[in-house]
């Protein structure tokens, strides 16, 4: 394998693949994508739920690239369509609203993008872990250590797109951002089979007994299959007596609503992952490294939606890299375009999450707040739409 590249992309999740696709379509640059998994799309740790394209256009009107992903890669990777979101309050009062969404086979979706990238001549190296070993100020090259089971070597690149999720493992931890426990959620998820779920509705359950500081979800995949999970904030978990797995068990087997249809379902393997719910990092570029996707903090903090924003940020990182290599822009352009396209929705999501934090500590208070704000405002908060011009 060669030792120098124009761009090295670390991580072939949705953000890294999106950066790769953008680079493949806009330059003749030498690009290497490094992924530590055995194959792209392996070990999906995600609810796989995304808004329909009509919803996305409404939610992120300034995001230019996202439509291309819907047009090009969704074909055979949608396993269910969603028509509504149903929310259960801590005392199990139901709030339901219309929402057009899609449930992905994310493994297929990612492999579709990977195949297109490889067709364009970009090298995708799997089973390899990358670590940035040198990215000094005013440097012209970043050094990256690549390690697989048999060998290790150093490669050099003019630029690196760091798309390795949260927490960033390839470089300095979160590139200097301060990590507070309240900004980190621990998510546990299990795919269930043979459950009598409502295939039209994504269900979200609130309440301290089942998901302190977060919510539990049931995302139907069709034919009795569903992604079932709980997301708990680390700051809440620290104070409690139970582990995240205990909460998952309570949700499946003891919750008065969900246990009725989940306790007898067949449970498949359990996955766990931490997520950053603290909003965009203050610095999304660091000398010659651009951060994309969860590594940059693009997940929407109030609802945990991270796929569309990761795709958008990856694409923008790839575009900026390609323009930078042609001498047409500075790398700081990335931060500007990223904030222009998705900055508002992430900032609003963070603000809503912080507002919610004031009430979510007490089930009684939260129940009352839900009652007062009612279904329409709740729907806006969950979708992360502005609830008044103040939040626009
Ligand atoms: C349980 C759970 C449920 C979720 N549900 C939803 C949902 O329903 N809808 C939604 O929109 N979002 C959801 N999200 C969030 C969404 O999954 C993320 O926001 C999204 O995956 C971010 O994409 P990414 O490419 O930035 O990071 P990732 O998907 O984490 O990809 C990072 C990639 O980098 C690789 N990698 C890491 N370190 C290295 C290294 N050093 N060298 C090489 N490769 C490396 C990893 O193997 C991985 O493939 C969920 C998240 C979780 C945990």
């Amino acid at each position: 394998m060669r030792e120098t590249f124009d761009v090295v992309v670390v991580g072939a999740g949705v953000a890294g693949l999106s950066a790769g696709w953008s680079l493949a379509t806009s330059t003749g640059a030498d690009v290497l994508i490094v992924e530590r998994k055995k194959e792209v799309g392996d070990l999906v740790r995600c609810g796989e739920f995304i808004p329909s394209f009509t919803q996305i256009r409404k939610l992120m009107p300034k995001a230019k690239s996202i439509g291309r992903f819907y047009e090009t890669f969704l074909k055979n990777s949608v396993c269910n369509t969603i028509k509504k979101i149903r929310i259960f309050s801590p005392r199990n009062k139901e709030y339901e609203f219309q929402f057009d969404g899609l449930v992905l086979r994310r493994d297929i979706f990612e492999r579709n993008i990977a195949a297109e990238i490889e067709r364009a001549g970009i090298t995708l190296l799997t089973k390899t872990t990358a670590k940035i070993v040198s990215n000094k100020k005013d440097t012209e090259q970043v050094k990256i250590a690549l390690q697989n089971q048999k060998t290790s070597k150093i490669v050099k690149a003019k630029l690196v797109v760091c798309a390795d999720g949260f927490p960033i493992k390839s470089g300095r931890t979160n590139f200097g951002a301060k990590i507070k426990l309240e900004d980190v959620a621990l998510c546990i998820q299990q795919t269930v089979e043979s459950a009598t779920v409502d295939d039209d509705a994504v269900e979200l359950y609130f309440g301290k007994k089942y998901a302190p500081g977060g919510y539990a979800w049931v995302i139907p995949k069709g034919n009795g299959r569903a992604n079932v999970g709980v997301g708990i904030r680390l700051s809440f978990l620290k104070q409690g007596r139970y582990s995240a797995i205990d909460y998952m068990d309570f949700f499946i087997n003891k919750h008065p609503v969900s246990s009725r249809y989940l306790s007898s379902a067949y449970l498949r393997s359990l996955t766990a992952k931490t997520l950053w719910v603290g909003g965009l990092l203050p610095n999304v570029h660091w000398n010659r490294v651009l951060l994309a996707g969860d590594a940059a903090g693009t997940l929407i903090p109030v609802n945990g939606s991270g796929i569309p924003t990761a795709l958008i940020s990856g694409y923008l990182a790839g575009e900026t890299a390609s323009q930078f290599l042609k001498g047409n822009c500075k790398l700081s352009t990335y931060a500007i375009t990223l904030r222009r396209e998705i900055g508002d929705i992430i900032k609003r999501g963070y603000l809503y999450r912080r507002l919610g934090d004031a009430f979510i500590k007490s089930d009684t208070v939260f129940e009352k707040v839900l009652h007062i704000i009612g279904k329409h405002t709740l729907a806006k908060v969950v979708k992360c739409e502005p609830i008044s011009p103040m939040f626009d």
Side-chain angles (χ1 to χ4, degrees):
M1 194 182 73
R2 314 180 19 185
E3 301 208 331
T4 57
F5 295 88
D6 291 318
V7 186
V8 168
V9 179
V10 182
V14 277
L17 291 167
S18 170
W21 190 46
S22 155
L23 281 155
T25 49
S26 59
T27 46
D30 292 324
V31 181
L32 170 71
I33 306 182
V34 188
E35 168 55 52
R36 65 179 176 169
K37 288 182 195 164
K38 199 167 159 204
E39 251 188 79
V40 170
D42 278 358
L43 186 70
V44 172
R45 292 185 291 182
C46 180
E48 306 174 282
F49 175 47
I50 57 167
S52 68
F53 182 49
T54 321
Q55 293 278 352
I56 275 281
R57 258 212 312 236
K58 255 171 59 185
L59 290 168
M60 302 174 209
K62 293 181 195 150
K64 287 193 284 210
S65 60
I66 189 73
R68 291 181 209 160
F69 290 92
Y70 278 77
E71 278 159 22
T72 319
F73 299 114
L74 281 191
K75 297 180 283 277
N76 54 349
S77 56
V78 174
C79 61
N80 193 22
T81 53
I82 297 298
K83 299 186 180 64
K84 53 198 167 195
I85 294 182
R86 190 176 300 129
I87 289 174
F88 290 87
S89 73
R91 296 210 178 124
N92 302 317
K93 186 171 171 198
E94 275 184 49
Y95 297 85
E96 189 178 291
F97 54 89
Q98 189 261 332
F99 187 88
D100 293 326
L102 306 167
V103 185
L104 290 178
R105 278 282 309 268
R106 190 169 151 170
D107 53 343
I108 298 178
F109 180 66
E110 289 187 354
R111 282 173 195 148
N112 285 348
I113 309 178
E116 197 61 35
I117 288 172
E118 290 192 298
R119 256 196 297 277
I122 286 183
T123 313
L124 218 163
L125 190 64
T126 53
K127 292 186 261 178
T128 306
T129 301
K131 190 171 174 63
I132 296 162
V133 288
S134 158
N135 170 37
K136 293 197 187 107
K137 204 167 177 231
D138 301 326
T139 186
E140 301 236 316
Q141 275 184 330
V142 187
K143 286 187 189 153
I144 308 111
L146 303 183
Q147 173 100 42
N148 65 22
Q149 273 187 329
K150 292 187 191 130
T151 56
S152 64
K153 77 183 276 181
I154 301 276
V155 295
K156 293 176 192 153
K158 290 180 190 152
L159 280 177
V160 169
V161 176
C162 182
D164 56 345
F166 175 82
I168 298 171
K169 290 162 279 304
S170 61
R172 286 169 43 172
T173 311
N174 268 29
F175 288 75
K178 203 167 162 209
I179 296 187
K180 287 189 268 161
L181 289 185
E182 63 178 51
D183 289 333
V184 181
L186 173 60
C187 300
I188 305 274
Q189 188 177 272
Q190 231 163 347
T191 304
V192 304
E193 284 180 3
S194 309
T196 26
V197 288
D198 175 356
D199 276 347
D200 288 344
V202 161
E203 291 187 345
L204 308 178
Y205 295 79
F206 289 87
K208 273 168 71 181
K209 273 201 254 170
Y210 305 96
Y215 61 85
W217 63 87
V218 178
I219 299 173
K221 300 184 80 170
N223 301 319
R225 300 186 85 221
N227 288 329
V228 175
V230 293
I232 298 161
R233 222 90 59 69
L234 288 190
S235 49
F236 286 74
L237 194 60
K238 216 180 65 167
Q239 295 154 10
R241 307 181 271 156
Y242 300 112
S243 72
I245 299 209
D246 290 331
Y247 286 111
M248 181 74 172
D249 181 46
F250 297 158
F251 179 63
I252 289 179
N253 294 308
K254 297 203 171 119
H255 191 286
V257 179
S258 59
S259 69
R260 271 191 249 140
Y261 64 93
L262 291 179
S263 59
S264 57
Y266 176 66
L267 306 178
R268 307 244 301 174
S269 61
L270 189 99
T271 58
K273 194 176 187 306
T274 50
L275 286 178
W276 174 255
V277 289
L280 265 187
L281 299 195
N283 298 317
V284 290
H285 111 261
W286 201 271
N287 300 336
R288 287 196 169 229
V289 176
L290 302 177
L291 305 182
D294 279 5
T298 57
L299 183 114
I300 298 177
V302 73
N303 57 23
S305 162
I307 299 172
T309 46
L311 288 169
I312 293 163
S313 73
Y315 202 86
L316 287 174
E319 258 182 356
T320 311
S322 118
Q323 290 306 318
F324 175 82
L325 291 171
K326 289 176 189 161
N328 293 341
C329 75
K330 291 184 185 167
L331 287 180
S332 52
T333 313
Y334 173 58
I336 298 165
T337 49
L338 187 67
R339 282 178 209 286
R340 187 193 306 140
E341 294 204 1
I342 54 174
D344 287 349
I345 192 163
I346 298 171
K347 214 155 115 190
R348 195 160 53 236
Y350 180 64
L351 195 67
Y352 287 172
R353 198 221 83 196
R354 294 286 307 273
L355 280 173
D357 282 0
F359 310 119
I360 210 165
K361 287 183 189 120
S362 154
D363 279 354
T364 313
V365 174
F366 194 53
E367 189 77 37
K368 278 192 190 136
V369 170
L370 291 180
H371 182 73
I372 293 164
I373 66 170
K375 183 172 86 171
H376 294 293
T377 305
L378 178 62
K380 286 188 174 181
V381 172
V382 170
K383 289 191 264 183
C384 205
E385 288 174 355
I387 46 175
S388 84
M390 203 176 94
F391 294 95
D392 213 344

